[in-house]
Amino acid sequence: MPRELTQNRIQKIWVSSKDDRSPTRRRGAGPHLANPPTVIVMVGLPARGKTYMSKKLTRYLNWIGIPTKVFNVGEYRREAVKNYSSYDFFKADNENAVKIRHQCALAALRDVKSYLTDEGGQMAVFDATNTTRERRDMILDFGSANSFKIFFIESVCDDPNVIASNIMEVKVSCPDYQDCNKTDAMLDFQKRIECYKASYQPLDPDLYDRELSFIKVIDVGRRFLVNRVRDHIQSKIMYYLMNIHVQPRAIYLCRHGESLDNLQGRLGGDSGLSPRGRKFATTLARFVEQQKPKNLKVWSSQLCRSIQTAEDLGVPYEQWKVLNEIDAGVCEELTYDEMKERFPEEFALRDEDKYYYRYPSGESYQDLVQRVEPVIMEMERQENVLVICHQAIMRCLLAYFLDKSAEEMPYLKCPLHTVLKLTPVAYGCKVESIFLNVEAVNTHRDRPEEVRKGPGTLIRRNSVTPLTSPESNIKKPRIEDLEEAPMQGLNHPPASSASLGLCSPSHLPLSLAGQQWLGKVCL
Amino acid sequence: MEADSGCRHGLVSLTVGGPAEQKELTQTPLLKIWVPWMGSSLNRRRGSSVPQFTNSPTMIVMVGLPARGKTYISKKLTRYLNWIGVPTRVFNVGQYRREAVQTYKNFEFFRADNEEAMAIRKACAAAALKDVAAYFTKEQGQVAVFDATNTTQERRAIIMRFGKERGYKVFFVESMCDDPDIIAENIQQVKLGSPDYVDRDTEEAMRDFIQRIKCYEATYVPIDDERDRKLSYIKIFNVGSRYLVNRVQDHIQSRIVYYLMNIHITPRSIYLSRHGESELNLLGRIGGDSGLSPRGQRYAKALAGFIEGQNISNLKVWTSHMKRTIQTAEALGVQYEQWKALNEIDAGVCEELTYEEIQENFPEEFALRDQDKYRYRYPKGESYEDMVHRLEPVIMELERQENVLVVCHQAVMRCLLAYFLDKPAGDLPYLRCPLHTVLKLTPVAYGCKVETFFLNIEAVNTHRERPTNVDISRKPEDALQTVPDHI
């Protein structure tokens, strides 16, 4: 007789009821494909995009459910040495400084160890120059002592324009230079780079480093050298790095226009647009025309309401089935009241854990992340894109771009008739929310007040459990704030309708002890 | 202003909006894609169930000395691209040469100073290129794999010019290998059995082939990372221990690179099996999420015994999220992974119906399905074509893995099998994947060896052949002609 199976109430996953490991969480509803913890070690001279790649990669890995955290050694240094004076600190013969820098690296590695062994982390990104063999050998020893896999990502770039642009974008406004003017900062930073150049030993695939697993990113992704990629997650990381780019562009996310089902408060279905929805579609067309994005790609789901919205733009668009709204299974086309009436237990379970909750014969947000991942990958490849999708889908996509956790994702506000314009900037994403002035019903359901979580019934194996990149106590502006006035103390003049500017460096507290700092943009 | 949905000519259409702006969308009957209604001619390009990523045709040009795996990569890549729906074909210049020069004498043909042979070889390359152009322009091909050594700058420049003149993108795949063991193994596996050496003894053939390689070595100029830095290419070193990727231009090249970096040649086997017979199987009902029948449970135990007998090292076991596959895997007593992507095809409104009930309630749908079973999408459900896209990450992971047992479902197994055995879309939905039968796939030479193991436990037949009459107006008896027996 086969073991009895029961279906876990929230995720609808069949498990053996005699499973003794049920108290400990087996995470995730997807296959468990990453095993020993891995330390991703960045390598490269300053201003080569190491921190950019670290943060972006971390955001991606967390979104697909692999707990990842960045450990930026520069932050540890800023803690240890409160006031940065000049590039002299980085001179190879500054013995005192060399000692401090070494201590900082060790402190960071200690935190890496703690994250990977005691805090449930799966990947740690060790963000520092790591330009000498000596330093890298130390890290390799650290890895074997703790049974961590080590994977290097080296960024090599000699294009002076790219470097100057990097310095302008993220270095001159960093805390080290808060009392300097831009020109002085630029000059000092360039001298800083020179300090590293003398002792820089790039990864050598032919001899010294031929047994190591690494990827060399050359000239901002024009060329890649990949050595001994050994496992699934390294392969995915490589694919991701090969698809991202740094060209300026904008991503527009919006929902279909108000649908007939929306008017009735019905979930899912495949109804057409209401008259107001039609009006939104034509207004959207005008908006897109005004914005004049170059070579705009338009993507829609395969549901009627999105397609009707896309049709009115009068430009070619692609239909993606994976952009279809979350499948509400047996609850398709019911109103929330009907669902509460016919499936009261399901209704309650959904509120208990909206991210993991799978509709009977339907999907969960967790399933959506897995489903929508190819869209994210393609969006990374593309430049200007407009995605016309649905509430749950938009929440998934938004959570990726704005680094929101699984907890937050199902409650992100994505109202009808509102376009979110995302522009990559520095280390993050600028968001502008543009309401196109066509009234629509509100389809957002907040997290109910009294929701008691059941005992540990969740299966949370490694995949598709988006976690935010762990960060310090810096408060991220919540999406609800988009309609309010921009935050105070900003350096930037407010842009068009209800735009949310960047958090300027002066607004953020300095890095906290041992904590990773999110950099300029805290979204 | 109400929405009005009605049936027109068997199509579902939706009209919304006031009299001022009447615009209609209709849902294509087969694919269930919403497209603008334009009289009777529906714009097919917009109505694609998958995003179109390729615009200009792409030529993948292999580069490398003989016995470096170029043909292996060409065929495998072609199989993968065709499976994901990108029409691809290999053009192997060696075959053109065998056509032109009916009998192969010896390696002297390949000497750099053999002018007559050189002329023939150039002509063959040109003929192959001509066929590439015809494939793109007349047969709607999207990717052509130009499989030849292409070891000289001159040859590669000719190809680049050819591509540029016609607006084809060119992507080079260079395979470099200096491990003599690997090369010897290659020669053993695929060269000695080639038509060139059909009447030779093994040792003689081996000697001749090595001389052949030497002929090429003299003039071999690998792609130069400096001089050729504007080209798009991937260099594969020693069967994948290292890659150099330069200037990936677009989506399809990115996918190709990812695929090439995930495949390996370590010997292994893939076992495909369906879940044991389920309760709904017995009743002739499709889909659903029922448990195993008593015979299904016996199969699960027999499967455990079979797997043990196979003595497989490090076997990974994968199932879907559906009860019947999990119950089957549970009997194995080993760890297994659940993939939602392995779930059975979603039959939408037809879930848990018998074929008789489908015929009764949705006769038109039933007929459409028989007309084009691969592309047909169940209302509110999926098509085989949708499933292929859903399963692509599974295939990618199967390529990375070594020994794997996949416990899945009929339609899923057909999709996976079609990938491994290079079956076209037309055949895919009719591949035979009976219950209680394990298929063992072992990669060999350029393809896959298949062994079938029926584990001797009776089960219902769930295979429905295509009926002779697929017309919408057919009679129920004709429609139900091929439905297998059930309770």
Side-chain angles (χ1 to χ4, degrees):
Chain A
M1 269 294 287
R3 281 213 209 130
E4 272 304 304
L5 292 185
T6 49
Q7 200 177 40
N8 152 296
R9 283 157 76 236
I10 286 190
Q11 292 168 296
K12 311 295 187 297
I13 294 184
W14 289 102
V15 281
S16 171
S17 47
K18 291 195 217 129
D19 202 331
D20 338 288
R21 24 191 181 95
S22 50
T24 53
R25 320 220 158 166
R26 258 203 323 144
R27 292 143 113 217
H32 178 64
L33 294 166
N35 303 357
T38 305
V39 183
I40 299 172
V41 182
M42 305 304 295
V43 179
L45 293 172
R48 262 60 176 178
K50 297 185 300 299
T51 303
Y52 176 80
M53 282 194 281
S54 301
K55 289 177 190 270
K56 206 169 158 78
L57 190 56
T58 300
R59 176 162 57 88
Y60 169 69
L61 292 172
N62 277 313
W63 185 75
I64 62 171
I66 298 173
T68 310
K69 185 171 173 179
V70 181
F71 296 83
N72 177 295
V73 176
E75 291 318 307
Y76 287 75
R77 190 260 306 158
R78 273 184 274 274
E79 257 305 294
V81 180
K82 293 292 185 187
N83 291 308
Y84 173 77
S85 52
S86 80
Y87 76 95
D88 289 314
F89 184 85
F90 291 96
K91 278 188 156 146
D93 54 7
N94 185 340
E95 276 187 29
N96 204 23
V98 165
K99 222 166 36 177
I100 294 175
R101 289 159 68 195
H102 185 70
Q103 288 304 323
C104 288
L106 290 178
L109 284 178
R110 265 199 307 275
D111 286 349
V112 164
K113 177 174 176 181
S114 162
Y115 177 66
L116 296 179
T117 35
D118 305 320
E119 296 171 43
Q122 181 69 40
M123 318 280 292
V125 183
F126 191 68
D127 179 17
T129 48
N130 299 315
T131 39
T132 59
R133 283 185 183 159
E134 189 194 323
R135 173 59 59 82
R136 296 197 292 265
D137 285 342
M138 175 185 83
I139 298 170
L140 285 166
D141 289 337
F142 165 81
S144 19
N146 293 292
S147 304
F148 298 150
K149 281 191 182 178
I150 304 284
F151 178 62
F152 294 93
I153 300 178
E154 180 173 24
S155 175
V156 176
C157 180
D158 294 318
D159 182 338
N161 294 326
V162 173
I163 296 163
S165 157
N166 283 357
I167 299 176
M168 281 311 290
E169 183 120 345
V170 294
K171 300 293 180 186
V172 301
S173 47
C174 99
D176 290 343
Y177 297 110
Q178 59 182 353
D179 298 320
C180 286
N181 72 53
K182 291 203 180 139
T183 335
D184 290 342
M186 172 73 96
L187 284 170
D188 184 275
F189 199 85
Q190 280 167 338
K191 294 216 184 83
R192 203 152 117 176
I193 298 178
E194 293 302 315
C195 295
Y196 282 92
K197 268 192 181 162
S199 55
Y200 181 22
Q201 294 164 301
L203 289 171
D204 175 19
D206 293 316
L207 222 50
Y208 194 83
D209 301 305
R210 67 184 178 285
E211 296 294 324
L212 300 183
S213 298
F214 64 84
I215 173 170
K216 243 189 228 259
V217 180
I218 299 157
D219 288 338
V220 204
R222 194 152 305 159
R223 177 181 292 188
F224 297 89
L225 188 115
V226 181
N227 201 60
R228 298 197 183 269
V229 159
R230 294 207 167 99
D231 64 17
H232 170 88
I233 194 60
Q234 287 176 22
S235 174
K236 272 200 102 95
I237 288 170
M238 192 179 58
Y239 186 44
Y240 183 71
L241 290 177
M242 292 205 298
N243 284 321
I244 61 180
H245 66 79
V246 293
Q247 298 308 316
R249 49 85 167 249
I251 295 167
Y252 300 86
L253 300 179
C254 75
R255 290 167 68 185
H256 53 83
E258 182 190 69
S259 72
L260 299 167
D261 275 345
N262 286 146
L263 278 178
Q264 298 191 348
R266 297 193 172 283
L267 301 169
D270 195 10
S271 67
L273 296 179
S274 71
R276 295 195 297 197
R278 297 306 317 278
K279 192 149 170 248
F280 168 71
T282 38
T283 318
L284 181 65
R286 273 204 305 278
F287 169 76
V288 168
E289 249 181 68
Q290 277 168 11
Q291 289 275 310
K292 293 204 223 309
K294 203 170 61 124
N295 271 335
L296 180 72
K297 295 268 156 53
V298 179
W299 296 348
S300 136
S301 76
Q302 289 190 348
L303 295 174
C304 187
R305 51 200 187 275
S306 305
I307 294 171
Q308 280 183 314
T309 311
E311 274 291 322
D312 271 348
L313 297 174
V315 297
Y317 59 91
E318 292 290 346
Q319 297 186 15
W320 292 71
K321 187 172 195 279
V322 294
L323 285 175
N324 281 8
E325 182 56 315
I326 190 171
D327 183 355
V330 301
C331 299
E332 277 282 320
E333 300 192 66
L334 301 183
T335 63
Y336 282 116
D337 286 334
E338 285 166 358
M339 182 184 169
K340 200 168 180 182
E341 201 185 295
R342 295 189 214 180
F343 307 102
E345 204 182 283
E346 294 296 327
F347 192 74
L349 285 171
R350 185 155 207 254
D351 281 336
E352 203 177 293
D353 205 320
K354 196 171 174 188
Y355 177 76
Y356 290 101
Y357 172 81
R358 188 187 277 173
Y359 282 104
S361 310
E363 291 176 303
S364 60
Y365 273 90
Q366 187 180 39
D367 295 326
L368 280 194
V369 167
Q370 210 162 42
R371 183 173 23 111
V372 136
E373 202 247 352
V375 178
I376 289 293
M377 197 62 89
E378 191 54 27
M379 279 173 93
E380 286 294 348
R381 292 196 56 80
Q382 293 290 344
E383 296 189 15
N384 292 319
V385 192
L386 163 63
V387 184
I388 300 169
C389 54
H390 305 265
Q391 185 167 246
I393 298 284
M394 190 161 156
R395 286 168 170 158
C396 275
L397 298 176
L398 204 55
Y400 166 75
F401 287 108
L402 303 186
D403 206 13
K404 299 293 183 185
S405 69
E407 280 289 298
E408 300 167 277
M409 186 197 289
Y411 296 102
L412 294 175
K413 282 225 169 105
C414 297
L416 286 166
H417 299 187
T418 308
V419 179
L420 289 185
K421 178 178 178 182
L422 306 167
T423 318
V425 116
Y427 293 138
C429 236
K430 176 173 95 168
V431 191
E432 291 165 72
S433 167
I434 302 126
F435 173 59
L436 293 194
N437 240 327
V438 179
E439 288 304 311
V441 295
N442 173 26
T443 57
H444 185 91
R445 247 187 101 246
D446 267 316
R447 189 197 306 260
E449 286 304 314
E450 341 143 340
V451 159
R452 213 153 296 157
K453 285 215 171 173
T457 47
L458 290 177
I459 297 171
R460 294 188 47 173
R461 195 96 75 85
N462 249 352
S463 88
V464 293
T465 309
L467 306 163
T468 333
S469 310
E471 44 136 344
S472 56
N473 305 342
I474 296 167
K475 185 168 194 290
K476 287 185 186 162
R478 294 162 57 191
I479 287 297
E480 297 89 278
D481 297 335
L482 287 178
E483 273 90 46
E484 297 164 12
M487 296 167 66
Q488 298 202 324
L490 291 176
N491 293 344
H492 312 269
S496 51
S497 34
S499 80
L500 181 72
L502 302 174
C503 303
S504 77
S506 56
H507 177 75
L508 294 169
L510 285 177
S511 61
L512 306 168
Q515 295 275 5
Q516 171 234 1
W517 185 43
L518 266 187
K520 303 298 141 319
V521 180
C522 55
L523 289 172
Chain B
M1 281 153 239
E2 306 290 306
D4 148 18
S5 92
C7 269
R8 203 177 305 194
H9 309 297
L11 296 165
V12 176
S13 67
L14 212 63
T15 317
V16 205
E21 322 162 357
Q22 279 281 332
K23 217 188 261 190
E24 292 176 41
L25 288 190
T26 54
Q27 199 175 43
T28 59
L30 192 79
L31 297 176
K32 310 292 188 297
I33 305 273
W34 289 102
V35 288
W37 170 257
M38 295 186 226
S40 56
S41 66
L42 297 168
N43 185 336
R44 260 239 128 199
R45 201 209 81 97
R46 239 101 142 282
S48 156
S49 58
V50 291
Q52 305 295 304
F53 284 122
T54 46
N55 333 14
S56 8
T58 303
M59 283 184 65
I60 299 177
V61 181
M62 304 304 298
V63 180
L65 293 171
R68 262 59 178 179
K70 296 185 301 298
T71 302
Y72 175 81
I73 292 172
S74 301
K75 288 181 188 255
K76 205 168 158 77
L77 188 57
T78 301
R79 176 161 59 88
Y80 168 69
L81 290 173
N82 278 314
W83 186 75
I84 61 170
V86 179
T88 307
R89 185 183 293 174
V90 182
F91 295 83
N92 177 296
V93 176
Q95 267 167 259
Y96 285 76
R97 189 260 304 158
R98 274 184 275 275
E99 273 288 309
V101 181
Q102 293 290 328
T103 33
Y104 171 74
K105 278 224 290 280
N106 61 34
F107 75 91
E108 307 267 346
F109 184 85
F110 292 97
R111 284 176 58 155
D113 54 7
N114 185 339
E115 281 187 21
E116 195 190 314
M118 222 19 129
I120 297 175
R121 289 160 72 195
K122 269 203 175 134
C124 288
L129 284 179
K130 202 159 143 244
D131 285 351
V132 164
Y135 178 60
F136 286 151
T137 41
K138 304 204 186 95
E139 296 180 62
Q140 280 87 52
Q142 271 174 17
V143 178
V145 182
F146 193 69
D147 179 17
T149 49
N150 298 317
T151 41
T152 59
Q153 276 249 300
E154 183 199 287
R155 174 60 57 85
R156 295 196 290 270
I158 292 175
I159 299 169
M160 283 296 294
R161 227 177 5 248
F162 173 83
K164 193 156 183 216
E165 281 164 12
R166 288 167 183 73
Y168 306 154
K169 289 188 179 171
V170 178
F171 185 72
F172 293 94
V173 178
E174 181 167 25
S175 173
M176 307 185 74
C177 181
D178 49 22
D179 181 337
D181 293 331
I182 297 182
I183 296 167
E185 177 66 26
N186 282 359
I187 301 178
Q188 277 288 335
Q189 278 233 351
V190 293
K191 297 296 179 185
L192 304 183
S194 106
D196 288 345
Y197 296 111
V198 75
D199 293 318
R200 311 294 164 85
D201 94 317
T202 321
E203 288 219 0
E204 196 196 317
M206 179 70 98
R207 270 199 306 270
D208 184 273
F209 199 83
I210 293 184
Q211 288 296 88
R212 206 153 116 174
I213 299 178
K214 285 216 193 331
C215 293
Y216 281 94
E217 268 173 352
T219 51
Y220 180 23
V221 178
I223 295 179
D224 187 293
D225 294 331
E226 248 323 289
R227 208 177 28 211
D228 296 320
R229 67 185 176 282
K230 293 262 160 80
L231 301 184
S232 296
Y233 61 86
I234 176 172
K235 281 194 192 184
I236 305 173
F237 296 89
N238 284 333
V239 206
S241 77
R242 186 192 309 172
Y243 303 92
L244 186 83
V245 181
N246 198 62
R247 288 194 186 257
V248 165
Q249 293 169 34
D250 61 14
H251 172 93
I252 195 70
Q253 289 178 16
S254 167
R255 292 283 285 274
I256 289 167
V257 165
Y258 186 44
Y259 182 72
L260 292 177
M261 295 211 264
N262 281 323
I263 60 180
H264 68 77
I265 54 166
T266 315
R268 51 82 168 252
S269 290
I270 295 167
Y271 297 82
L272 300 179
S273 159
R274 289 169 67 186
H275 52 83
E277 183 189 70
S278 73
E279 304 282 1
L280 285 181
N281 284 147
L282 279 178
L283 300 172
R285 294 185 174 283
I286 63 173
D289 193 14
S290 62
L292 298 179
S293 70
R295 295 195 296 197
Q297 288 169 22
R298 280 169 50 213
Y299 173 71
K301 286 222 279 290
L303 182 62
F306 169 77
I307 291 294
E308 241 185 81
Q310 287 280 303
N311 248 321
I312 310 158
S313 70
N314 267 335
L315 179 71
K316 297 267 158 59
V317 179
W318 295 351
T319 71
S320 70
H321 274 205
M322 295 179 145
K323 190 172 183 187
R324 49 201 189 276
T325 55
I326 296 169
Q327 279 182 318
T328 310
E330 276 286 325
L332 300 174
V334 298
Q335 269 223 325
Y336 57 89
E337 291 296 336
Q338 296 186 19
W339 290 72
K340 188 168 197 278
L342 287 172
N343 278 7
E344 182 57 316
I345 190 171
D346 183 357
V349 301
C350 298
E351 277 284 318
E352 302 197 48
L353 300 185
T354 62
Y355 287 117
E356 291 85 350
E357 285 164 359
I358 298 176
Q359 167 59 28
E360 201 184 302
N361 295 298
F362 310 101
E364 228 173 72
E365 293 292 329
F366 201 45
L368 283 172
R369 186 157 205 253
D370 284 333
Q371 285 176 18
D372 192 341
K373 198 171 172 188
Y374 182 74
R375 279 174 202 87
Y376 171 81
R377 188 185 278 172
Y378 280 106
K380 307 208 173 153
E382 292 177 298
S383 62
Y384 272 94
E385 190 173 22
D386 294 327
M387 284 206 353
V388 161
H389 284 91
R390 203 203 321 140
L391 285 169
E392 201 258 349
V394 177
I395 287 293
M396 197 63 91
E397 192 54 29
L398 276 174
E399 286 295 345
R400 294 197 55 82
Q401 292 289 343
E402 295 186 17
N403 293 318
V404 189
L405 163 66
V406 184
V407 182
C408 54
H409 306 264
Q410 185 167 244
V412 174
M413 192 158 154
R414 285 169 170 158
C415 288
L416 298 178
L417 202 56
Y419 167 74
F420 287 109
L421 303 185
D422 204 13
K423 299 292 183 185
D427 296 349
L428 192 164
Y430 296 102
L431 294 176
R432 275 190 186 276
C433 297
L435 286 166
H436 298 186
T437 309
V438 182
L439 290 185
K440 177 179 178 181
L441 305 166
T442 315
V444 107
Y446 292 140
C448 234
K449 177 174 93 170
V450 192
E451 294 165 77
T452 312
F453 299 93
F454 171 57
L455 295 197
N456 238 326
I457 294 167
E458 289 306 309
V460 294
N461 171 30
T462 55
H463 185 92
R464 199 181 142 258
E465 283 296 353
R466 189 176 199 257
T468 12
N469 188 346
V470 297
D471 206 71
I472 294 189
S473 57
R474 65 189 176 177
K475 297 207 275 290
E477 311 87 78
D478 289 343
L480 299 172
Q481 181 196 19
T482 54
V483 172
D485 297 326
H486 58 87
I487 298 175

